[in-house]
């Protein structure tokens, strides 16, 4: 992944103009005396934190050294979850924690702390507006034990954060261990030299939620004069609440000193349609002198744990990469495209070094499928895909964007109940646990980075955008559910700088993964768009009869058909509608239908369905995704009543009338396209008039 160095160099140049390299504590102590408590100082300080964070230890190139495999227990690896209640404190003065070195002692000794759950956003946990709306830095800490047996076994000890939004710095027992920018993506570090074995240890995390024009997503800080002082306000144009905190699990885990650092898997299906191919490439981490003495064994197991292929046992020289042929492979199919969707094999990787007796075992799930696309069609295992799905959010009451296993399990049950086969991770990467479900249940994912509402194109922004894609691909490259990379949502793609910007981001993404098509979800008029020419597949968003022609449902059909056709004609690429919808207050009924009512949402959907059906006949139209799966929280604005209400489910995951309506369409489509039977509860009993009317065959 050498391209990262190029990108990170650009970051250095543009961040500081001097390619200044300096550790965070040093830099903060240099800057601190220069900061005066004037009107702009808070902004300057917060920006400084982000700036320091970016140029310090975890530059983009640093992040991408090595793999980011999900921590899994095995014969050779132990995993401890550090989830639970952590100590938490706001830093109203952004640099105070650095100046007073809060990371050198228990946070509770620096001032008063409150309990804060991890994983969770911190914003909605208390009744404090100053916590919910905080801009800048907060601190967390927690103590944990590292067993002495880990020292005796000679383990490497690692800590991994699956997502901290937006920027984070982590100290272990007062030592700066890692930093990371861009929420929604994991980062980890080997911390063996920082921990005390057989004793209590402390992890301290500083989290900064500040968004600037050079962060991804972008935001702006503004000064709000209040009495004799100035408050810093965070603004942003994207339409979801900027929840912050330690959003996903924190893992403490071990590897042997020589370990499987990464594995890249590409799968294919031979032209006979039944033989699966698994190409793998394993990377070893840790230090070892005699490469030849490291053996690498690769086994493939089916879902019942039976060995399918055991013969691939080779020495390092030819064992680190190779191809496994799977006769009569059980292919990975999307939900409702096959009686057994989401079939996952297990690739069992084993390293062993004879001299030291070290063994490492890592098990990587793998689904066998191929994707192909042309100007009109996207196929999986040779069959055309028609996407029936949603845009979604990671969002729920109280926990904000915090991972909640009960919630995500319910969400997948709803997705399957409704007969959907796909969704887009609008507008940022979702938790790995959410992606695991997609792999296992056959839900196709358009995997989006946090490039939402892009404007003010700059080299720093572009590099960060590339970082986010590189980190996302590093994390999700082996997932069969990921069928497209989405590099942006609603960028200002009419600006002339957009052309070069998107050309270079697409080229960059292709250099990491050529096996999946690249899309971006566009909303400028097709005749002014500069980005689509570089994409493989065009997604477009349009709120006909909502933001424009409000209340005029009769315009939808023609406008949607016309626009989809124009996108296809301009770029000669497959097209899907990535967003359409209407805000709806659950329980509001108005007949004849009227905006915000359940009736209006249902009718707006129906008009779109007519357009989609006409478009489906034209071949190039490959899918429909409603906005949104569920209601979600947004920034406070007069256009949102308690958040965005375009969900077909409420924020508590209860169906609006539109959910039942959409369910009928998605199942009928599945019946037409995949010949699946309708669910037994598809229709409620109404009357037994079967003798009097002709039965309609579904
Ligand atoms: C859009 C955005 C999405 C918004 C939606 C809306 O086009 O992509 O983030 O939430 O419109 O409801 O306005």
């Amino acid at each position: 992944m050498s391209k990262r160095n190029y990108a990170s160099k650009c970051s250095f140049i543009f961040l500081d103009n001097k390619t200044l390299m300096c550790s965070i504590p040093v830099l903060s102590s240099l800057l601190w005396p220069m900061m005066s408590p004037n009107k702009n100082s808070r902004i300057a300080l917060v920006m400084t934190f982000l700036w320091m964070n970016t140029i310090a230890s975890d530059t983009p190139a640093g992040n991408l050294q090595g793999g980011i495999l999900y921590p899994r227990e095995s014969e050779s690896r132990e995993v401890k979850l550090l989830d639970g209640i952590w100590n938490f404190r706001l830093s109203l003065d952004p640099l105070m924690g650095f100046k007073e070195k809060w990371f050198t002692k228990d946070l509770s000794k620096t001032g008063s702390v409150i309990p804060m759950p991890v994983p969770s956003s911190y914003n909605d946990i208390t009744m404090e507006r100053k916590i919910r709306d905080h801009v800048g830095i907060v601190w967390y800490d927690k103590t944990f034990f590292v067993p002495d047996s880990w020292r005796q076994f000679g383990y490497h000890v690692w800590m991994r954060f699956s997502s901290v939004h937006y920027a984070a710095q982590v100290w272990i027992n007062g030592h700066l261990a890692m930093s990371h920018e861009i929420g929604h993506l994991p980062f980890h570090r080997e911390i063996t030299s920082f921990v005390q074995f057989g004793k209590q240890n402390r992890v301290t995390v500083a989290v900064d939620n500040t968004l600037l024009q050079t962060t991804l997503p972008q935001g702006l800080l503004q000064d709000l004069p209040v009495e004799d002082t100035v408050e810093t306000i965070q603004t942003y144009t994207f339409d979801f609440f900027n929840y912050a905190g330690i959003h996903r699990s924190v893992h403490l885990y071990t590897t042997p000193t020589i370990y499987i650092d990464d594995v890249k898997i590409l799968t294919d299906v031979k032209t006979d349609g039944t033989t699966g191919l698994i190409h793998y490439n394993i990377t070893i981490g840790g230090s070892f002198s005699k490469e030849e003495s490291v053996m690498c064994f690769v086994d493939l197991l089916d879902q019942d744990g039976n060995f399918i292929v055991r013969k691939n046992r080779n020495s390092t020289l030819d064992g680190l990469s190779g191809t496994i042929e799977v006769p009569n492979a059980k292919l990975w199919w999307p939900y409702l495209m096959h009686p057994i969707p989401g079939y996952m094999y297990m690739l069992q990787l084993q390293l062993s070094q004879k001299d030291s007796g070290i063994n490492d075992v890592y098990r990587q799930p793998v689904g066998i499928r191929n994707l192909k696309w042309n100007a009109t069609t996207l196929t999986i295992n040779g069959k055309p895909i028609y996407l029936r799905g949603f845009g979604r959010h990671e969002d729920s009451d109280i926990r904000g964007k915090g991972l909640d296993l009960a919630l995500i399990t319910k969400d997948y049950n709803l997705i399957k109940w409704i007969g959907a086969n796909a969704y887009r991770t609008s507008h940022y990467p979702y938790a790995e646990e959410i992606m695991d479900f997609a792999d296992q249940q056959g839900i196709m994912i358009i995997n989006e980075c946090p490039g939402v509402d892009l404007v003010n194109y700059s080299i720093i922004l572009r590099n960060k955008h590339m970082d986010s894609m590189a980190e996302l691909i590093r994390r999700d490259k082996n997932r069969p559910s990921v069928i497209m990379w989405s590099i942006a949502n609603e960028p200002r793609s009419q600006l002339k700088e957009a052309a070069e910007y998107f050309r270079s981001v697409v080229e960059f993404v292709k250099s990491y993964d050529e096996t999946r098509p690249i899309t971006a979800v566009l909303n400028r008029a097709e005749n002014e768009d500069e980005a689509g020419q570089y994409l493989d597949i065009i997604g477009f968003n349009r709120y006909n009869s909502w933001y424009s022609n409000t209340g005029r449902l009769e315009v939808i059909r023609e406008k949607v058909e016309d626009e989809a056709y124009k996108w296809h004609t301009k770029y000669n690429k497959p097209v899907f509608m990535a967003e359409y919808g209407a805000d709806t207050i659950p329980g509001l009924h108005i007949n004849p239908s009227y905006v915000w009512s359940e009736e209006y949402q249902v009718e707006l959907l129906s008009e779109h369905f007519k357009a989609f059906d006409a478009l489906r006949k034209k071949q190039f139209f490959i899918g429909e995704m409603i906005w949104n799966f569920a209601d979600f929280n947004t920034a406070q604005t007069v256009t949102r009543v308690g958040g965005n209400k375009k969900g077909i489910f409420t924020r508590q995951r209860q169906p609006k009338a539109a959910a039942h309506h959409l369910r009928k369409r998605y199942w009928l489509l599945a019946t037409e396209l995949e010949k699946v039977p309708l669910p037994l509860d598809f229709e409620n009993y109404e009357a037994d008039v079967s003798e009097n009317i002709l039965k309609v065959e579904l």
Side-chain angles (χ1 to χ4, degrees):
M1 300 204 167
S2 58
K3 302 228 164 39
R4 309 297 320 114
N5 295 327
Y6 162 70
S8 68
K9 257 189 197 146
C10 293
S11 293
F12 281 104
I13 293 161
F14 279 82
L15 272 169
D16 58 1
N17 285 322
K18 292 186 221 107
T19 20
L20 175 64
M21 278 287 273
C22 174
S23 77
I24 288 171
V26 173
L27 197 52
S28 58
S29 61
L30 284 176
L31 286 163
W32 176 250
M34 301 188 300
M35 299 300 177
S36 61
N38 66 19
K39 174 161 136 11
N40 289 315
S41 67
R42 280 179 51 84
I43 293 181
L45 292 171
V46 176
M47 289 172 73
T48 303
F49 175 76
L50 270 177
W51 175 61
M52 290 187 296
N53 184 38
T54 308
I55 64 170
S57 60
D58 216 8
T59 60
N63 279 342
L64 284 189
Q65 275 162 15
I68 190 89
L69 292 177
Y70 192 81
R72 289 183 215 281
E73 282 182 336
S74 75
E75 297 83 329
S76 60
R77 295 173 175 229
E78 293 189 33
V79 180
K80 281 172 84 155
L81 263 186
L82 298 189
D83 295 357
I85 299 295
W86 292 45
N87 295 313
F88 175 88
R89 108 167 253 207
L90 284 193
S91 181
L92 293 176
D93 174 342
L95 273 196
M96 178 161 301
F98 298 96
K99 195 181 143 227
E100 295 182 354
K101 298 195 165 73
W102 290 355
F103 46 85
T104 58
K105 48 184 170 243
D106 288 350
L107 203 52
S108 59
K109 304 252 167 60
T110 68
S112 63
V113 293
I114 58 167
M116 189 56 69
V118 169
S120 179
S121 302
Y122 59 74
N123 309 75
D124 292 347
I125 296 296
T126 73
M127 278 65 70
E128 302 277 336
R129 189 197 293 239
K130 74 170 195 285
I131 292 183
R132 186 192 63 199
D133 299 336
H134 179 66
V135 183
I137 293 166
V138 299
W139 292 76
Y140 287 77
D141 88 348
K142 183 177 178 65
T143 53
F144 59 95
F145 275 89
V146 180
D148 194 48
S149 56
W150 288 9
R151 182 185 56 78
Q152 290 161 19
F153 292 139
Y155 285 160
H156 278 320
V157 182
W158 297 76
M159 192 175 284
R160 184 186 199 265
F161 290 79
S162 292
S163 161
V164 182
H165 186 75
Y166 170 79
Q169 285 190 287
V170 179
W171 292 261
I172 305 292
N173 298 326
H175 303 281
L176 181 66
M178 56 190 132
S179 54
H180 183 258
E181 182 185 345
I182 306 179
H184 323 291
L185 288 162
F187 56 99
H188 66 177
R189 163 94 199 255
E190 199 218 313
I191 56 167
T192 319
S193 60
F194 301 141
V195 295
Q196 307 186 69
F197 291 94
K199 292 199 177 137
Q200 181 167 282
N201 293 266
R202 186 185 55 246
V203 51
T204 312
V205 185
V207 183
D208 189 349
N209 66 355
T210 311
L211 300 178
L212 306 170
Q213 289 297 285
T214 50
T215 59
L216 209 74
Q218 293 169 295
L220 268 181
L221 291 178
Q222 285 172 9
D223 279 350
L224 178 71
V226 182
E227 297 177 357
D228 54 353
T229 167
V230 174
E231 261 184 44
T232 305
I233 305 291
Q234 173 78 71
T235 61
Y236 40 89
T237 58
F238 58 81
D239 186 36
F240 53 93
F241 193 88
N242 187 35
Y243 279 114
I246 304 179
H247 278 159
R248 299 178 192 153
S249 290
V250 183
H251 291 93
L252 182 73
Y253 67 100
T254 67
T255 62
T257 46
I258 300 170
Y259 57 93
I260 294 154
D261 177 56
D262 201 6
V263 54
K264 181 174 180 184
I265 296 167
L266 295 179
T267 67
D268 206 346
V269 185
K270 276 192 164 175
T271 43
D272 64 10
T274 58
T275 310
L277 295 173
I278 301 174
H279 308 289
Y280 61 86
N281 185 10
I282 300 162
T283 320
I284 302 180
S287 53
F288 50 96
S289 46
K290 288 191 285 170
E291 205 178 25
E292 312 77 49
S293 66
V294 179
M295 300 287 286
C296 173
F297 307 119
V298 179
D299 295 320
L300 187 71
L301 284 74
D302 69 12
Q303 256 177 16
D304 300 321
N306 303 313
F307 285 94
I308 301 298
V309 180
R310 300 205 69 172
K311 58 179 186 231
N312 247 44
R313 300 181 161 244
N314 285 311
S315 70
T316 304
L317 283 181
D318 51 3
L320 284 182
S321 59
T323 297
I324 298 177
E325 268 201 27
V326 190
N328 297 317
K330 293 194 171 103
L331 302 184
W332 190 93
W333 285 103
Y335 176 57
L336 299 183
M337 266 180 102
H338 190 271
I340 307 173
Y343 191 91
M344 298 294 285
Y345 289 90
M346 188 65 84
L347 204 58
Q348 182 172 289
L349 312 172
Q350 192 177 339
L351 281 186
S352 78
Q353 199 188 31
K354 277 203 223 98
D355 305 351
S356 62
I358 284 175
N359 264 313
D360 187 23
V361 182
Y362 189 82
R363 294 185 177 84
Q364 173 66 46
V366 52
I368 303 174
R369 56 114 178 94
N370 70 18
L371 291 173
K372 298 213 160 57
W373 62 96
N374 58 26
T376 56
T377 317
L378 171 65
T379 63
I380 185 161
N381 309 329
K383 272 198 183 178
I385 291 174
Y386 187 74
L387 303 164
R388 307 182 297 269
F390 310 92
R392 297 188 59 204
H393 269 296
E394 284 183 313
D395 175 274
S396 68
D397 285 336
I398 303 171
R399 44 193 73 58
K401 293 203 180 303
L403 175 73
D404 177 346
L405 297 178
L407 178 84
I408 66 175
T409 310
K410 174 85 180 185
D411 282 357
Y412 274 89
N413 288 335
L414 292 174
I415 288 168
K416 293 200 310 189
W417 174 81
I418 217 159
N421 63 7
Y423 67 83
R424 176 168 61 116
T425 66
S426 40
H427 298 305
Y428 39 81
Y430 291 2
E432 288 150 281
E433 292 79 359
I434 298 180
M435 302 296 286
D436 286 346
F437 268 129
D439 284 339
Q440 292 155 9
Q441 305 197 24
I443 302 300
M444 294 178 280
I445 302 290
I446 300 178
N447 208 352
E448 191 159 280
C449 75
V452 47
D453 277 31
L454 294 172
V455 64
N456 279 340
Y457 297 108
S458 66
I459 300 285
I460 310 175
L461 183 75
R462 192 204 62 183
N463 291 342
K464 214 154 285 177
H465 198 156
M466 289 174 171
D467 289 348
S468 76
M469 284 308 307
E471 288 186 37
L472 178 59
I473 295 171
R474 178 175 67 156
R475 192 193 75 164
D476 287 347
K477 58 186 178 294
N478 296 333
R479 295 190 179 277
S481 58
V482 176
I483 56 149
M484 265 185 243
W485 302 114
S486 169
I487 57 173
N489 178 74
E490 300 193 351
R492 306 296 181 275
S493 65
Q494 81 285 13
L495 301 174
K496 68 173 184 326
E497 317 86 88
E500 173 51 22
Y501 186 96
F502 282 99
R503 190 204 59 72
S504 62
V505 175
V506 169
E507 181 185 74
F508 178 82
V509 174
K510 291 272 178 206
S511 74
Y512 280 79
D513 184 6
E514 286 191 313
T515 67
R516 293 176 176 93
I518 298 177
T519 191
V521 175
L522 307 170
N523 76 331
R524 306 301 306 196
E526 108 292 333
N527 57 10
E528 57 176 4
D529 172 74
E530 301 279 353
Q533 57 187 310
Y534 303 109
L535 306 171
D536 298 307
I537 292 177
I538 308 290
F540 75 99
N541 292 346
R542 198 65 62 203
Y543 286 88
N544 288 303
S545 308
W546 187 253
Y547 293 125
S548 61
N549 295 305
T550 315
R552 314 302 313 190
L553 293 168
E554 60 274 25
V555 304
I556 291 174
R557 188 175 168 166
E558 192 184 327
K559 283 194 177 293
V560 171
E561 270 186 63
D562 187 49
E563 177 162 13
Y565 183 71
K566 281 182 175 154
W567 282 111
H568 176 66
T569 311
K570 178 167 182 189
Y571 291 128
N572 195 28
K573 292 174 181 171
V575 173
F576 67 103
M577 189 159 199
E579 287 183 26
Y580 67 98
D583 284 89
T584 305
I585 302 292
L588 179 66
H589 293 283
I590 305 179
N591 188 5
S593 71
Y594 194 86
V595 284
W596 293 90
S597 68
E598 298 217 26
E599 284 75 8
Y600 192 81
Q601 190 180 30
V602 165
E603 286 179 30
L604 180 136
L605 261 58
S606 274
E607 291 308 308
H608 281 85
F609 298 163
K610 290 178 195 163
F612 299 150
D613 281 348
L615 284 166
R616 288 197 298 128
K617 299 196 179 103
K618 299 210 171 102
Q619 310 299 332
F620 66 83
F621 191 71
I622 63 160
E624 52 191 88
M625 294 191 153
I626 192 171
W627 191 257
N628 186 285
F629 175 73
D631 294 346
F632 56 93
N633 199 14
T634 62
Q636 300 190 59
T637 133
V638 292
T639 57
R640 297 281 177 257
V641 186
N644 187 309
K645 301 286 184 206
K646 293 194 186 70
I648 58 160
F649 295 103
T650 64
R651 202 179 191 208
Q652 296 71 36
R653 277 39 181 190
Q654 296 305 330
K656 300 180 190 173
H660 295 284
H661 189 54
L662 188 69
R663 180 173 187 237
K664 292 200 167 154
R665 173 165 178 86
Y666 281 0
W667 275 100
L668 286 172
L669 285 178
T671 304
E672 179 201 311
L673 298 170
E674 333 290 357
K675 312 283 174 255
V676 296
L678 291 171
L680 293 175
D681 63 347
F682 188 70
E683 292 290 358
N684 287 328
Y685 178 86
E686 270 140 6
D688 184 4
V689 290
S690 49
E691 283 171 20
N692 304 329
I693 59 164
L694 278 178
K695 270 196 178 159
V696 179
E697 290 261 317
L698 286 168

